[in-house]
Amino acid sequence: MLVDSPPEQRAEAAPAPPERGAARAAGLVVSVLLLVGVAVASLAVGAKELALGEVWHGLFHNSGTYGDVVVDERLWRTLLGLLAGAALGLAGAVLQALTRNPLADPGLLGINAGASAAVVSAITFLGVTSLRGYVWFAFLGAAAVGALVWFLGGSRGATPVRLALAGTALSAALYGYLQAVMIVDEAALGKMRFWTVGSLNAATDRTIAQVLPFIAVGVLLALGLARPLNAMAMGDDTAKALGAHLGRTRALSMLAATVLCGAATAACGPIVFVGLMVPHVVRSFTGPDLRWILPYAAVLSPVLLLGADVLGRIVARPAELQVGIVTAILGGPVFIFLVRRRRTAQL
């Protein structure tokens, strides 16, 4: 359900006092340092614990046991966590601004459902079984659904309500298709079970090479939309008066979210709540200005994703919980808290 932003969040942020701007900048530096720390933990923590010196040796000498563990088992999943986390966080922030719904997430427009449906189809009808084979199907499915949502939502005349309704309707239809295919084809169910949970541990250098160009383009596009989305937050009439191009901004926002979500979902599977939680929490500190929300989301979302991945390795050692399970366990209570707090604030 679409939830319009309160009036204080619809206005573009006025120029911040110097002390608040300094606090935001300092907070962003702290966030980057936190991300570095979590990335190091991702390289060091697992079934085999490694000291920092051993991590360093494995990274830069890439020989022996340390090189095998750090590079082959942990480096690529850490890099994928960084990329996917940034993609999901930025996509969530853009979609929340586009739909004017602070509780929106990348699944709202059916992008995750499109990627999942494409992968199921590739497995069932084309016999595709490897990540290298179906990563492109997942991305194309996400892109196709994003384009269809944009068309059903009215194209250049699309409104937040129409986009949200079109995405919800397509998601329901696609998830119904998924269930039907997997019930009929038990082989497809077995092959999909791992991917649909959401995981980083199948990452390879090839995976990074496949998704990096798309995520890079999506990140640049999303960051470039901060000002026009700020103008649209004040309402369509005011945005037009300020010179914003509503149709173009909505189209580019849809494109950015589709590219980011599609690439992340293709590589990791559908991972929930990252794109919802982080932008929402960040907004409480930065205010409604997307010029700050987007960079913070791009930095702190990988912190959450990699932190959940590290936690999954610790709690089930020597096995591990997939990161999609951990984010779902963490995200459910947080989502309930956010909804309850929002209802209380509106009373």
Side-chain angles (χ1 to χ4, degrees):
M1 180 173 63
L2 189 68
V3 182
D4 199 10
S5 303
E8 64 272 15
Q9 290 186 347
R10 288 199 299 265
E12 183 176 9
E19 60 274 13
R20 186 171 186 185
R24 288 169 171 172
L28 193 56
V29 172
V30 171
S31 300
V32 172
L33 294 176
L34 181 61
L35 178 58
V36 172
V38 173
V40 172
S42 179
L43 294 173
V45 176
K48 179 179 177 60
E49 294 286 351
L50 297 177
L52 292 181
E54 294 168 338
V55 171
W56 180 272
H57 185 276
L59 278 176
F60 294 99
H61 296 281
N62 193 17
S63 60
T65 303
Y66 299 150
D68 293 340
V69 172
V70 174
V71 176
D72 296 340
E73 297 181 17
R74 299 181 187 172
L75 176 61
W76 303 120
R77 74 187 291 172
T78 300
L79 291 176
L80 182 57
L82 292 171
L83 292 174
L88 293 172
L90 281 172
V94 168
L95 290 177
Q96 287 173 15
L98 176 65
T99 61
R100 299 175 193 165
N101 181 355
L103 297 179
D105 75 334
L108 180 68
L109 300 183
I111 295 171
N112 285 348
S116 300
V119 171
V120 168
S121 299
I123 290 173
T124 304
F125 303 115
L126 301 178
V128 178
T129 58
S130 67
L131 174 64
R132 294 180 180 180
Y134 61 62
V135 64
W136 294 104
F137 287 95
F139 183 78
L140 290 174
V145 170
L148 187 56
V149 167
W150 176 245
F151 174 76
L152 295 177
S155 301
R156 291 187 177 274
T159 64
V161 173
R162 288 179 179 177
L163 291 174
L165 290 176
T168 301
L170 281 175
S171 291
L174 289 172
Y175 279 124
Y177 165 77
L178 284 174
Q179 295 301 317
V181 170
M182 288 192 290
I183 288 173
V184 172
D185 189 342
E186 293 185 3
L189 175 60
K191 294 169 186 174
M192 280 294 299
R193 183 172 54 190
F194 182 77
W195 185 83
T196 54
V197 167
S199 174
L200 299 176
N201 63 5
T204 65
D205 55 343
R206 187 180 179 91
T207 309
I208 302 299
Q210 286 176 324
V211 300
L212 178 59
F214 296 105
I215 292 179
V217 170
V219 167
L220 293 175
L221 186 56
L223 293 176
L225 289 168
R227 288 184 179 275
L229 285 174
N230 272 344
M232 287 177 58
M234 295 190 290
D236 289 357
D237 293 338
T238 303
K240 288 179 181 178
L242 292 173
H245 299 276
L246 302 185
R248 183 174 66 189
T249 300
R250 287 179 179 138
L252 291 176
S253 297
M254 281 289 299
L255 177 62
T258 298
V259 170
L260 291 169
C261 291
T265 303
C268 308
I271 296 177
V272 298
F273 287 120
V274 174
L276 182 150
M277 284 192 291
V278 175
H280 192 87
V281 172
V282 162
R283 193 179 294 107
S284 66
F285 173 73
T286 63
D289 191 347
L290 284 159
R291 293 172 296 180
W292 287 100
I293 292 174
L294 293 175
Y296 265 95
V299 173
L300 290 178
S301 295
V303 171
L304 173 60
L305 189 59
L306 286 176
D309 189 42
V310 171
L311 181 61
R313 301 181 215 173
I314 294 173
V315 298
R317 190 180 288 167
E320 64 179 63
L321 285 177
Q322 304 306 319
V323 66
I325 297 174
V326 179
T327 58
I329 293 172
L330 296 175
V334 172
F335 180 72
I336 293 172
F337 169 76
L338 293 175
V339 171
R340 288 182 61 85
R341 189 180 69 171
R342 183 169 180 79
R343 284 183 178 177
T344 302
Q346 290 177 338
L347 292 178

